[in-house]
Amino acid sequence: MTTWAPDVLGDGYQQLTIPLGTDPDGEGHVEATLVRYRPDSTVPTRAVLYVHGFTDYFFQRHVAEHFTARGYAFYALDLRKCGRSRRAGQTPHYASDLTLYDAELDEALRLVRDEVGGPVLLTAHSTGGLILPLWLDRLERRPGGSAGAGVAGLILNSPWFDLQGPSLLRSAGTSAAIDALGRASGRTEIPGQKLDTYGASLHIGAHGEWEYDLEWKPLTGFPVRFGWLRAVRRGHARLHRGLDIGVPSLILRSTRSVVASRYNPSVDAADAVLDVDQIARWAGCLGNRTTIVPIDGARHDVFLSTPGPRAAALHEVDLWLGRLDAHHLTDNVTRETEATA
């Protein structure tokens, strides 16, 4: 029996702990946290499941409310060692292999499907936008594939498809060095971090409009460690070889990136974290039907952009959801026709 408890986001929000057993990375017992938005007793027959990025957790009430208004039950997953799920003594967001997240993703999908009965639309931001396609590619290889597991489609918000910065950082030699350091010194912090440029653009206590827990999402971000970066680079390499996620996808990103050592107004109208050209370059690696929409003036998290780009991004989501419904309707008619032929 599942027991939902009140969530920190307040009225209508509840959370459920997902036990995951002993941490393969040696940091004790690990758990994930499933959050749901249930403003009334109505339970729609389809759902959205949202996954956050690095130095992040789910707090975007407006996203939950947007999907709920369009007839979806809304759920979000705080991954192990992230946000609501991090326990004392655990390294924030640390995982030595991205496949470890399969455990909570499988269980979250099962729980959501048990509650709504119908299809589940997945959506993810940044590092979550790498984790989910890799998981879906593995899910597609199981009997029935992604669609058979109840997945209807995928929306990615500025997915992390490659390293940002000079091409030297993506060279074979650099990748080999990261791989070696990640194996030998996994929890060693990578130097040269602690910039608050992006965080300051978001948080209401600095230059932004969003209120969130700075213990769970600090302005300077959590330290990036060699073992975690090794896992991410292995994920990038797998993505670049081409995936088959089995369902249609929508990719949203900003039209440009900006590099800044401190906050300035340009950070409010560009991606200050990732290289949008790298997102564009690798977007075709997901397989199936892929729609790519640049949002002019968007931030790294397009759903946390200033009001104009944010509204444009949500409008693109709505347009795509209409096409997704039409796509599935066509598929159903085709299957019925084949069955009676």
Side-chain angles (χ1 to χ4, degrees):
M1 179 179 179
T2 55
T3 303
W4 293 86
D7 186 67
V8 295
L9 293 181
D11 290 347
Y13 291 91
Q14 299 169 309
Q15 64 170 260
L16 176 70
T17 298
I18 301 176
L20 299 171
T22 302
D23 180 20
D25 288 325
E27 294 191 331
H29 181 80
V30 284
E31 301 172 334
T33 309
L34 188 63
V35 178
R36 72 180 181 187
Y37 179 51
R38 187 70 59 83
D40 53 44
S41 59
T42 304
V43 182
T45 57
R46 59 184 181 175
V48 167
L49 175 60
Y50 171 95
V51 177
H52 59 84
F54 181 71
T55 302
D56 210 353
Y57 72 100
F58 177 71
F59 64 90
Q60 296 89 338
R61 293 181 181 89
H62 65 290
V63 175
E65 292 162 5
H66 184 88
F67 281 107
T68 300
R70 280 142 188 82
Y72 290 84
F74 185 87
Y75 298 81
L77 182 65
D78 278 14
L79 301 167
R80 64 185 67 197
K81 305 182 191 178
C82 305
R84 300 164 178 82
S85 306
R86 181 158 60 99
R87 302 296 176 253
Q90 293 181 344
T91 306
H93 291 254
Y94 186 81
S96 61
D97 191 324
L98 299 186
T99 63
L100 296 178
Y101 295 122
D102 288 11
E104 53 256 55
L105 292 169
D106 285 345
E107 182 62 7
L109 179 60
R110 185 193 68 80
L111 288 165
V112 172
R113 288 272 291 165
D114 282 353
E115 288 206 342
V116 303
V120 179
L121 174 67
L122 302 173
T123 182
H125 170 56
S126 199
T127 310
L130 174 65
I131 292 169
L132 276 192
L134 294 170
W135 169 63
L136 282 175
D137 181 70
R138 292 187 289 272
L139 189 61
E140 178 66 8
R141 298 167 193 272
R142 301 178 195 174
S146 301
V151 178
L154 175 67
I155 298 175
L156 299 182
N157 163 8
S158 299
W160 192 15
F161 284 168
D162 206 346
L163 278 185
Q164 59 277 32
S167 58
L168 176 64
L169 296 178
R170 294 182 293 278
S171 69
T174 302
S175 296
I178 291 172
D179 190 71
L181 287 166
R183 286 198 310 269
S185 306
R187 288 182 179 77
T188 299
E189 295 182 18
I190 298 175
Q193 303 178 62
K194 301 297 183 183
L195 292 180
D196 70 350
T197 308
Y198 177 58
S201 75
L202 297 180
H203 195 262
I204 196 168
H207 301 277
E209 61 177 296
W210 306 102
E211 186 171 1
Y212 51 82
D213 191 328
L214 293 177
E215 290 293 319
W216 291 350
K217 184 178 173 64
L219 295 186
T220 57
F222 289 115
V224 175
R225 300 172 190 273
F226 281 108
W228 178 83
L229 185 59
R230 175 179 182 263
V232 167
R233 292 302 286 155
R234 289 166 68 89
H236 286 158
R238 178 66 192 92
L239 171 79
H240 297 169
R241 292 194 297 271
L243 305 178
D244 182 5
I245 65 171
V247 292
S249 61
L250 169 67
I251 299 175
L252 301 172
R253 61 170 177 87
S254 183
T255 54
R256 68 188 186 95
S257 296
V258 64
V259 178
S261 59
R262 63 181 62 185
Y263 172 81
N264 67 75
S266 71
V267 175
D268 293 325
D271 192 323
V273 178
L274 296 182
D275 183 342
V276 297
D277 290 339
Q278 296 298 336
I279 299 174
R281 177 184 181 186
W282 298 110
C285 289
L286 300 183
N288 210 282
R289 299 173 182 233
T290 303
T291 302
I292 308 160
V293 183
I295 304 296
D296 190 33
R299 287 190 176 111
H300 174 53
D301 187 332
V302 298
F303 297 142
L304 297 183
S305 299
T306 54
R310 181 166 76 240
L314 291 171
H315 178 64
E316 291 292 345
V317 167
D318 292 344
L319 292 176
W320 184 80
L321 290 176
R323 293 194 294 270
L324 183 69
D325 285 343
H327 169 69
H328 287 308
L329 180 62
T330 300
D331 279 356
N332 290 336
V333 170
T334 299
R335 283 193 291 269
E336 291 171 3
T337 301
E338 290 175 346
T340 57

